Amino acid sequence: MSARVKTAILISGRGSNMQALVAAAAERDYPAEIVGVVSDRPEAGGLAVAAAHGIATAALPRGDFPSRDAHEAAIDLVLRDWGAEIVCLAGYMRMLSAGFVERRLGRVINIHPSLLPLFKGLDTHSRALEAGVSLHGCTVHFVTAGMDEGPIIGQAAVPVSPSDTPDTLASRVLHAEHQLYGRVLRWVAEGRVTLENGRAVHTGFTADDSAALIAPTPGIDPAHLENLARFTP
Ligand code: GRF
């Protein structure tokens, strides 16, 4: 078996997507290995969880550095020390500079809780409810200099129920995020999706892979059925 691709995760908070990636990487024949978790917030709950899994961690608060460049240089040093080839942003709440991103172009991915390009930025679930969409979801994309703007690699759709609140919707989207992220990291680590001329290019796709781009079916909440019924002719 070829060596697994060393992957680091950047977080700022609870780290549930980080945990989903750690769980995915524990699967037999998974092509990526999680070598370390960095947080810009020492209090991030995800750091303790990672450490409990025996994963290297680094807390690098932005306030400890004189500039964004110095902060990113410190992150870069840690990533190099771990030999990280892929970087997954998982609830990392700080914009990375164009320089950082360009040095690792095609090897930094992010998960965002909406079907991009809709609802970039924060508060995606309340904005989706306000807009009255019937489908919401999550996106994993290659990171480029613009916020939530890089080429889309994979998306999972989550039906919106008329009774949803931002919290109920967030929890179903989060469940979809946990399923999608591990699958997308697999594709990136296997080289089955690459960033070429500003697009995510997929090769060697299976029917199973395609299904995952539309909607992860396990764990569907019965409340979804109420919403889907609205579309029954
Ligand atoms: C997730 O909803 C992710 O999409 C967004 O921030 C949240 C992080 O949650 N970027 P967690 O820390 O992974 O639990």
Side-chain angles (χ1 to χ4, degrees):
M1 197 187 96
S2 56
R4 297 194 296 154
V5 183
K6 293 186 178 188
T7 301
I9 305 174
L10 267 56
I11 63 168
S12 296
R14 72 190 154 185
S16 71
N17 277 289
M18 177 271 292
Q19 285 185 67
L21 293 176
V22 168
E27 286 165 19
R28 199 179 139 81
D29 295 335
Y30 196 80
E33 172 193 4
I34 308 303
V35 291
V37 175
V38 178
S39 176
D40 61 331
R41 294 191 184 147
E43 68 280 13
L47 280 178
V49 176
H53 280 88
I55 296 169
T57 61
L60 298 169
R62 167 70 180 84
D64 285 3
F65 299 87
S67 64
R68 179 166 83 166
D69 282 354
H71 184 229
E72 288 187 350
I75 295 174
D76 207 52
L77 204 62
V78 170
L79 297 179
R80 281 168 197 274
D81 194 38
W82 291 338
E85 295 162 72
I86 296 175
V87 177
C88 294
L89 308 185
Y92 185 67
M93 299 305 286
R94 193 166 286 280
M95 284 287 293
L96 292 166
S97 69
F100 183 98
V101 165
E102 271 149 28
R103 275 194 301 280
R104 295 174 180 270
L105 200 62
R107 292 176 296 125
V108 185
I109 61 179
N110 179 47
I111 188 152
H112 180 75
S114 77
L115 292 175
L116 291 172
L118 288 175
F119 312 124
K120 295 173 182 173
L122 298 174
D123 300 324
T124 57
H125 309 302
S126 24
R127 287 158 59 210
L129 289 175
E130 272 160 33
V133 295
S134 354
L135 279 178
H136 187 40
C138 52
T139 302
V140 180
H141 63 94
F142 284 116
V143 175
T144 54
M147 186 181 67
D148 301 328
E149 269 186 6
I152 292 169
I153 309 173
Q155 296 183 301
V158 173
V160 179
S161 160
S163 58
D164 265 326
T165 64
D167 284 350
T168 60
L169 188 53
S171 112
R172 290 205 313 288
V173 171
L174 192 65
H175 183 65
E177 290 182 44
H178 296 161
Q179 294 174 68
L180 181 69
Y181 212 177
R183 193 175 282 255
V184 170
L185 175 57
R186 170 185 282 281
W187 298 336
V188 175
E190 286 175 346
R192 289 199 289 138
V193 61
T194 49
L195 176 52
E196 286 167 37
N197 301 320
R199 310 278 304 183
V201 177
H202 292 265
T203 44
F205 240 49
T206 65
D208 191 39
D209 291 334
S210 312
L213 286 177
I214 301 164
T217 43
I220 280 215
D221 188 303
H224 295 176
L225 302 177
E226 180 194 338
N227 187 51
L228 292 174
R230 289 195 295 172
F231 302 100
T232 308

